[in-house]
Amino acid sequence: MIAMYVSEVRPLASFTRGDVSIPNPVSEAPAPHETIELTHENVALPPHVEGEALLRLSDTVSEKTLLEYQKKYRFQVLEEIAAPAAIKTSFPGKLLHVRFDSGRTGESTLTGLSQEEGVQYAEPNLIFQLDDPSLPFALTASPIESVPSRAHIPNDLDSRLWGMHNTGQTGGAPGVDINAPEAWSVETGNPNGPILAVIDTGIDYTHPDLAANIWTNPGEIPGNGIDDDGNGFVDDVHGYDFANNDGDPMDDNKHGTHCAGTIAGEGNNGQGVVGVSWRGKIMPIKFLTGGGSGSLADAVKAIFYATQMGARITSNSWGGGGFNQSLRDALAASPALNIFAAGNSGQNSDVTPGYPAAYDLPNIVSVAAVGPNGELAGFSNYGARSVDLGAPGVDIYSTVPGAGFASLRGTSMACPHVSGAAYLTVSRYPNATNDQIKGRLLGGAAPLPSLQGKVLTGGMLNVSNALENDVVPPSAPGDFKVDSAGAGFLTLTWKAPGDDADFGSALRYELRMADHPIAEGTAGEGEVSWQQATPVSAPIPESPGSQQTTRVLVEPGPSGKTYHFALRALDNVGNSSPLASASGTTLPGKIVFQDDGEGETVQWTLQEPWGRQEVPGHGKVWTDSPKGNYPSKADISMTSVPIGLSGIQDPMLSFYDSYVIGLPGPFGFKDSDVGKLEVSGDGGSTWNGLETVSGKADWQQHSFDLKEYEGKTIQVRYRLTSDQSLTYDGWKIDNILVAGTPTSD
C-alpha cells in the first residue's frame, strides 16, 4: 500500500554543504541552450512528491553544464544529498534533489534528463508508506509475569512475548520462538557496543523501557541551536528528524517506538518488556511522518546519516514505491548490515519484488513474518530467493509512546527481532564482518515446515544458534574431481564435508573456475587467485559423505580445452574449509551452427527492426534495435534456419549478449519489456523458453543444454516483447553457435 505525501518545499538560491555549492539559475543566466517542452501524458509514475525528482550526476558534469540542464528542463536544485566521506568512493558523483518549475514530474522530462551526458539517472521523489495490518491499539500498562530472575530469564519477560519464549502461553505451539533465553545465557547485549539505527517514524526516547538504551551524540550540546560536532546537523543529540528537518526524532506515530522495544527494550529492569538485546545503543532516525509516509530523498538522507554517525546495523520496517536506483545505490554503499521487513502484500517477492527488501545486495537481510503456531503469516511477503528468513510478526507486544505498551502485527514487527539478534551477535563478536553476521543469522535459522520453499533458509530466526561459538571450519570436500566431460560441459563430483570438520552439514559451497590453477592464497606464476576466478553455481551441501555432483557448461570448440576448478564449503558463522581442486579437459566439439554476425549469408528470419549493428570491440552483432531504441508495443523475433543435431551428443547452445531492456528505473517502476530465448523441436509449432532477460547487463557468455533435443532438428528464436511505455537500447547478440560431442558413427 502506498500513500501520497507532499512535503513543503522551500525555495533555495543555493544549497551549500561542506565545500560543495550547487547553484540555481536565479540571477545568473546559463549559456544559451534549447528549452524542451515538458509533457506528462505517458505511463503514470508511481506515487511521488509531485514536481520533485532525484538526479544523479557524474563528477564530470561541470557547474556550467548543470546550469544548462536546469535551463533546458526548467528545474531548481533544492539540495545536494551528499554522501558521507566514508563512502564517497563507493558513491561518487552528486545526488541532487530537484524541483521542476512546472510543479509536475513528467516521464518524458526524466527520460530526457537521464539521457544527457554525465547524468546517471533521474527518478521521481517516491513515497514510502507503512502498511502493517491493523490491530487494536491501546496505551496500557504491562502486567509483569512472575518469572524467577536467573541469568538467562529476565524479570520482565512478559507472558505476551511469545516470540522470545513460547511455551504455548498465548495458545501457540510450544517452541515456535527465537530461543531468546538460551541466547541470553551467552549474551545480553553490550551497552557500549556498536550503534543500531532505527530508521522509521522516530522513537519515544524518553520511554522508561527505552531511555537507558538510546544513543546520545557525545559531540552535541542539547538545545543550544549550534552544530557542535560539525556534522552538518544542529542539536542531533539522539538522532535526527528528516521528515521535519530538525534534531528531534521523537515518534509521533508509534511504529518506530514499537520496533525499538523489540530490538532493545531494557532487560531485567522489572518493568514493561524485554528486547532481544537487553542493552544497546539505539539511534532514532526519523524520515516517516506521524501519518507513516516519507519521501525517497529523506530515506536516502537517513541512510547517509546512519553511515556518517557510525551505525553498524540499521533496522528498516518500511517499504513501497517500487524499484529506485538512488536508494539501491545508497544501500549498496552503506557499510552497515541493513535489516528490512519483507512487506505485507502477501505476495511472492521473487515474482513481484517488494523493495527495498528485495534489492539483491549482500548487506541486506529480508524478513518474513511468522505466527505463534509456526505459520507463515497470511499478510507476509515471501520468496525463496528474495526473502531470507522468518521471525515473529503476529501479535507482537512492545513499547509505544507515552510509557505505554501494545500489540501490533506485520513484517515490521518481524524485522526488529532480526535486528536485535544482529546486535547481540555483534556484541558477542565485535570484529565479525557483515557476511559473517548475516551468515550466522541465516545459517542458524531453525527449519520450519511453513517456510520451506518460501524463504531462502526455509527457517525462522534462532538467535541462540547465531551466537554459537564455532571456530571449527568445515573439512574440505572429499574426492573432488572432473568425473566426465563433453564438448561443452564438465561434470564435477565430490563427497560432502561436515560443518564442524566431519560433523553436521555445511551451510553452502563456493565454486570457481579458471583457465589456470586457482591458488588458495597469493597466486604464483601460472596461477590465478580465488578472487580472479569465475564464480559458478553449486548445489546445497548434503549430509557428510554424501556424493554430490554438478554440471558446468562451457563454450564448445573444435579442440578440447582444459579448465581448473576450486571448491570450498562454508558454515553458518563464515568459517571456510580448505580449497579442493580439480581440473579436466573438454572433448573436441562438432559445430553444427555458427554465426558471428560478420558473414554474408543470413541464417535467420528477421522481423523488423531486427538486423545487424556495428559495435565497438565486437564488430557486427545481431540486435533488435539497429537504428536506435526498439519499438513500443512490439513482439518481434529473430528465428534461425533449421539446425540438425544428428551426429552429435550432448548438444548445447552458446552465445554472447548484452542488453538494456525494460529497465527498473529511472522512474521507480519496471517496464514489462522482456527478451525471450526460445527453442522449437517441431518446426516452430511450439516454442519452449530457455531464458527470459530484462534490465541491464554488459557482454557475457551463456550456455544452454539442448540434450532433450538430441538427434532432432531445432530452431532457435530470440524474441523481444515490449509494452506501450518506455523503450531502450535493446538486445545485442554475438558469436552464436550450436555444437556437441561427435558421435562415434
Side-chain angles (χ1 to χ4, degrees):
M1 181 174 67
I2 301 174
M4 292 295 292
Y5 166 65
V6 181
S7 61
E8 176 187 2
V9 178
R10 293 175 294 278
L12 300 175
S14 178
F15 174 82
T16 303
R17 179 94 177 252
D19 58 355
V20 179
S21 180
I22 304 297
N24 274 320
V26 178
S27 57
E28 179 184 358
H33 202 292
E34 172 193 6
T35 300
I36 68 165
E37 184 66 28
L38 304 183
T39 59
H40 315 275
E41 65 274 6
N42 297 326
V43 172
L45 298 176
H48 59 282
V49 182
E50 189 60 76
E52 294 189 13
L54 268 65
L55 180 65
R56 179 90 180 269
L57 305 179
S58 69
D59 287 320
T60 60
V61 177
S62 67
E63 181 175 307
K64 178 181 177 182
T65 300
L66 175 57
L67 286 168
E68 291 175 352
Y69 293 163
Q70 289 180 249
K71 178 67 174 179
K72 180 178 179 180
Y73 294 98
R74 295 185 290 184
F75 66 86
Q76 309 294 313
V77 177
L78 301 178
E79 59 182 335
E80 180 189 6
I81 304 176
I87 62 169
K88 190 61 180 173
T89 56
S90 54
F91 197 98
K94 296 181 178 69
L95 182 64
L96 305 182
H97 179 194
V98 307
R99 180 171 180 82
F100 295 101
D101 296 346
S102 66
R104 300 280 304 277
T105 308
E107 176 199 358
S108 60
T109 306
L110 296 178
T111 300
L113 258 174
S114 64
Q115 293 174 350
E116 294 286 358
E117 183 72 23
V119 177
Q120 298 181 29
Y121 50 79
E123 57 188 2
N125 188 13
L126 299 180
I127 298 300
F128 300 98
Q129 170 70 37
L130 301 178
D131 66 346
D132 295 311
S134 61
L135 194 69
F137 166 68
L139 298 175
T140 59
S142 172
I144 305 300
E145 180 81 357
S146 178
V147 180
S149 180
R150 301 193 297 274
H152 61 296
I153 298 291
N155 58 22
D156 48 1
L157 182 62
D158 190 282
S159 62
R160 285 166 282 196
L161 299 176
W162 68 265
M164 306 289 182
H165 185 52
N166 189 354
T167 62
Q169 73 273 22
T170 64
V176 176
D177 55 40
I178 67 170
N179 269 26
E182 293 81 355
W184 293 331
S185 67
V186 175
E187 180 64 60
T188 57
N190 183 356
N192 300 310
I195 298 169
L196 191 156
V198 177
I199 301 175
D200 210 288
T201 62
I203 297 174
D204 180 359
Y205 46 79
T206 66
H207 194 291
D209 224 7
L210 294 173
N213 288 338
I214 297 295
W215 171 79
T216 298
N217 185 350
E220 200 72 17
I221 299 172
N224 66 355
I226 298 173
D227 178 15
D228 300 288
D229 60 358
N231 69 347
F233 302 95
V234 175
D235 287 339
D236 56 327
V237 177
H238 294 303
Y240 202 76
D241 176 358
F242 290 98
N244 298 295
N245 197 29
D246 61 49
D248 184 10
M250 177 58 73
D251 187 4
D252 53 357
N253 180 278
K254 66 177 176 291
H255 192 267
T257 301
H258 195 278
C259 292
T262 298
I263 295 168
E266 185 180 1
N268 212 40
N269 66 348
Q271 61 177 328
V273 297
V274 58
V276 178
S277 184
W278 296 10
R279 305 171 185 86
K281 291 171 69 174
I282 302 299
M283 174 192 290
I285 304 179
K286 177 179 174 65
F287 91 97
L288 298 170
T289 66
S293 299
S295 72
L296 169 60
D298 287 342
V300 173
K301 287 187 277 188
I303 292 164
F304 281 172
Y305 181 84
T307 298
Q308 181 178 355
M309 303 310 291
R312 184 68 184 80
I313 302 161
T314 72
S315 187
N316 305 271
S317 291
W318 49 273
F323 183 101
N324 59 84
Q325 194 66 48
S326 52
L327 182 58
R328 186 191 185 281
D329 289 352
L331 288 166
S334 167
L337 183 63
N338 303 288
I339 318 297
F340 274 91
N344 301 310
S345 302
Q347 65 191 17
N348 186 343
S349 285
D350 292 349
V351 178
T352 308
Y355 298 109
Y359 288 132
D360 186 16
L361 294 172
N363 63 344
I364 283 182
V365 177
S366 176
V367 188
V370 174
N373 286 296
E375 74 280 11
L376 174 67
F379 54 76
S380 178
N381 286 358
Y382 57 93
R385 296 189 307 274
S386 58
V387 180
D388 293 305
L389 76 170
V394 177
D395 299 347
I396 302 302
Y397 192 64
S398 186
T399 51
V400 292
F405 303 86
S407 291
L408 297 174
R409 64 177 61 179
T411 57
S412 285
M413 285 64 251
C415 172
H417 283 87
V418 178
S419 302
Y423 191 89
L424 279 187
T425 304
V426 177
S427 295
R428 187 68 175 171
Y429 303 102
N431 297 320
T433 65
N434 280 348
D435 286 346
Q436 290 169 336
I437 300 166
K438 184 174 179 178
R440 284 178 172 274
L441 295 172
L442 273 58
L448 205 58
S450 69
L451 299 182
Q452 296 297 311
K454 295 291 187 179
V455 301
L456 179 67
T457 61
M460 175 180 176
L461 173 69
N462 185 313
V463 67
S464 178
N465 288 350
L467 296 179
E468 180 185 355
N469 184 20
D470 182 359
V471 297
V472 181
S475 56
D479 195 22
F480 181 48
K481 63 183 180 182
V482 175
D483 186 67
S484 62
F489 73 90
L490 300 100
T491 301
L492 309 178
T493 61
W494 67 92
K495 290 184 179 178
D499 178 358
D500 297 326
D502 293 320
F503 300 94
S505 297
L507 174 65
R508 60 188 174 93
Y509 292 120
E510 289 183 346
L511 174 63
R512 301 203 173 191
M513 64 181 291
D515 294 343
H516 297 86
I518 302 170
E520 186 155 15
T522 303
E525 186 176 354
E527 296 180 323
V528 298
S529 68
W530 173 262
Q531 289 75 21
Q532 292 171 318
T534 302
V536 181
S537 61
I540 299 297
E542 296 180 4
S543 58
S546 299
Q547 190 75 14
Q548 296 202 255
T549 184
T550 192
R551 196 181 201 210
V552 180
L553 299 180
V554 296
E555 184 176 6
S559 59
K561 182 178 179 180
T562 298
Y563 293 90
H564 298 267
F565 300 89
L567 177 68
R568 67 181 183 183
L570 292 91
D571 65 16
N572 64 298
V573 300
N575 295 318
S576 173
S577 76
L579 287 186
S581 299
S583 63
T585 303
T586 58
L587 299 177
K590 178 181 178 181
I591 298 174
V592 296
F593 178 90
Q594 187 170 17
D595 193 326
D596 62 2
E598 302 290 344
E600 293 297 326
T601 302
V602 176
Q603 306 180 79
W604 306 90
T605 299
L606 305 173
Q607 289 183 297
E608 290 187 355
W610 276 95
R612 282 186 276 209
Q613 180 184 28
E614 190 79 27
V615 174
H618 294 271
K620 291 181 179 178
V621 303
W622 293 104
T623 178
D624 55 24
S625 49
K627 297 180 180 179
N629 291 359
Y630 56 78
S632 62
K633 296 189 287 186
D635 188 344
I636 50 176
S637 301
M638 180 176 82
T639 306
S640 74
V641 298
I643 304 169
L645 302 184
S646 60
I648 60 172
Q649 59 186 9
D650 298 310
M652 61 172 298
L653 166 68
S654 174
F655 62 91
Y656 289 79
D657 75 353
S658 71
Y659 53 83
V660 183
I661 302 172
L663 281 177
F667 312 117
F669 68 96
K670 185 171 181 176
D671 294 332
S672 57
D673 305 352
V674 294
K676 302 174 182 179
L677 171 62
E678 300 169 325
V679 63
S680 174
D682 58 10
S685 296
T686 59
W687 292 90
N688 299 318
L690 295 182
E691 184 183 41
T692 298
V693 299
S694 63
K696 181 178 181 179
D698 204 355
W699 285 99
Q700 55 191 327
Q701 191 260 338
H702 301 273
S703 296
F704 294 92
D705 193 336
L706 299 177
K707 190 172 181 60
E708 67 175 286
Y709 300 98
E710 199 168 87
K712 297 181 179 180
T713 296
I714 66 166
Q715 287 178 280
V716 174
R717 181 166 76 177
Y718 295 90
R719 177 184 173 198
L720 180 113
T721 61
S722 62
D723 61 21
Q724 61 182 356
S725 62
L726 304 177
T727 61
Y728 299 92
D729 195 32
W731 205 355
K732 301 186 187 332
I733 304 158
D734 198 13
N735 293 333
I736 307 163
L737 66 85
V738 177
T741 307
T743 56
S744 56
D745 57 356

